[in-house]
Amino acid sequence: MFITIRSLIACVSLTALRSQNTTTHFVTEFVLLGFPGPRQMQNFFFSLILIVYLLTLLGNGAIVCAVKWDRQLHTPMYLFLGNFAFLEMWYVSTTVPNMLANILSDTKTISFTGCFLQFYFFFSLGTAECFFLSVMAYDRYLAICRPLHYPSIMTGKFCLILVCVCWVSGFLCYPVPIVLISQLSFCGPNIIDHFVCDPGPLFALACIPAPTTELICYILNSMIIFGPFLFILGSYTLVLRAVFRVPSGAGRTKAFSTCGSHLMVVSLFYGTLMVMYVRPTSENPAGTQKIITLVYSVVTPLLNPFIYSLRNKDMKDALRRVLGLGINHN
């Protein structure tokens, strides 16, 4: 009798569990495969990523310190650049520390909540980066196309407003998609063939296809990418028209030098971003997703300080003064 009751209870519990699993997720953690391979290769990859991460923090941190401590850089252009460098430090920190921990881990797990928190901060900071690139393009447009009106338009108060809008807007774009994706049924397997919690692999793990949610994410990604990109494209079209009207070659060279660094960063960042997110994520193979994500999330933040400092005399001089403890090197 006892065995019969116990069996009945077990059957009822199993039936209830199966019924619950058809409407909600019961995966409590995910496995981020990262870049699998032999232990020696993993150790090499760990060392390489660690060096890149430290160099990224050092380079962007140097720009932040230079903009903060050097009075000659207290201008709108460098205020935006300082915020952009500060953002890059946090942006790369949303993925790399966890990637390094996973390389050394045998389980390579991340909790369900931790996965979506990483998703939120990674995409929010990436969105804020798109907005900052747009604001920096607008600043260059005003400086070159409307130089007489520039001081009255790009005031300190207006700069602060633009900076706040970039930060706040970046963190307001992704709560809805993340809530929608987190409500999908994840009933196993829980292995994400990536090194970051990305919507493409998460959609692939859902027990039931969610074309509506995937379409919403696709439309949102396209708006976030193409909106700022078209704005940047329009700004620099007007800038180029104005530059080509400058009679002196020296004037054209100076104008190009102030815009060249920004255009290089925009090309590198948006080039990889469009390949990854403009079309539905399911069309990108796992290996392609990893490489493209690695470029715009790790390589680009590393290159940005070199691009902006090596091509900018004022920034190089400021970095010399800051690193030289206030000694002015000519």
Side-chain angles (χ1 to χ4, degrees), residues 35 38-54 96-105:
F35 294 90
R39 175 49 59 182
Q40 290 182 344
M41 182 181 295
Q42 293 287 303
N43 292 337
F44 171 77
F45 192 66
F46 175 87
S47 303
L48 179 62
I49 294 297
L50 179 61
I51 293 173
V52 169
Y53 180 57
L54 294 177
V96 173
N98 185 73
M99 191 194 313
L100 294 174
N102 274 3
I103 292 175
L104 300 179
S105 172

Side-chain angles (χ1 to χ4, degrees), residues 19-90:
S19 177
Q20 183 181 11
N21 287 341
T22 60
T23 59
T24 185
H25 66 80
F26 68 94
V27 169
T28 59
E29 62 183 15
F30 295 101
V31 176
L32 292 173
L33 285 184
F35 294 90
R39 175 49 59 182
Q40 290 182 344
M41 182 181 295
Q42 293 287 303
N43 292 337
F44 171 77
F45 192 66
F46 175 87
S47 303
L48 179 62
I49 294 297
L50 179 61
I51 293 173
V52 169
Y53 180 57
L54 294 177
L55 289 176
T56 302
L57 295 182
L58 181 63
N60 286 284
I63 289 180
V64 172
C65 293
V67 172
K68 180 177 177 59
W69 293 334
D70 196 301
R71 286 190 164 273
Q72 297 185 21
L73 299 185
H74 289 181
T75 62
M77 181 177 74
Y78 293 108
L79 172 65
F80 297 138
L81 179 58
N83 274 271
F84 184 77
F86 182 70
L87 183 150
E88 291 285 63
M89 295 171 66
W90 287 103

Side-chain angles (χ1 to χ4, degrees), residues 80 129-142 154 158 162 166 222-239 262-263 266 270 274:
F80 297 138
E129 182 167 346
C130 293
F131 294 154
F132 266 110
L133 290 173
S134 301
V135 168
M136 293 164 76
Y138 177 65
D139 176 73
R140 291 301 83 206
Y141 158 75
L142 289 178
M154 197 59 71
F158 186 55
L162 289 177
C166 290
S222 299
M223 291 174 59
I224 290 174
I225 293 172
F226 274 111
F229 179 74
L230 292 176
F231 182 85
I232 294 171
L233 194 62
S235 298
Y236 274 105
T237 299
L238 297 175
V239 166
H262 188 245
L263 283 174
V266 168
Y270 273 99
M274 287 182 178

Side-chain angles (χ1 to χ4, degrees), residues 198-201 203 214 221 276-277 279-285 289:
D198 194 76
F203 279 125
E214 192 167 356
N221 289 335
M276 186 68 181
Y277 294 111
R279 61 180 180 175
T281 53
S282 59
E283 296 182 8
N284 292 320
Q289 290 185 27

Side-chain angles (χ1 to χ4, degrees), residues 16 25 124 170 200 276 311 316:
H25 66 80
S124 296
M276 186 68 181
R311 295 178 56 89
K316 286 191 289 187

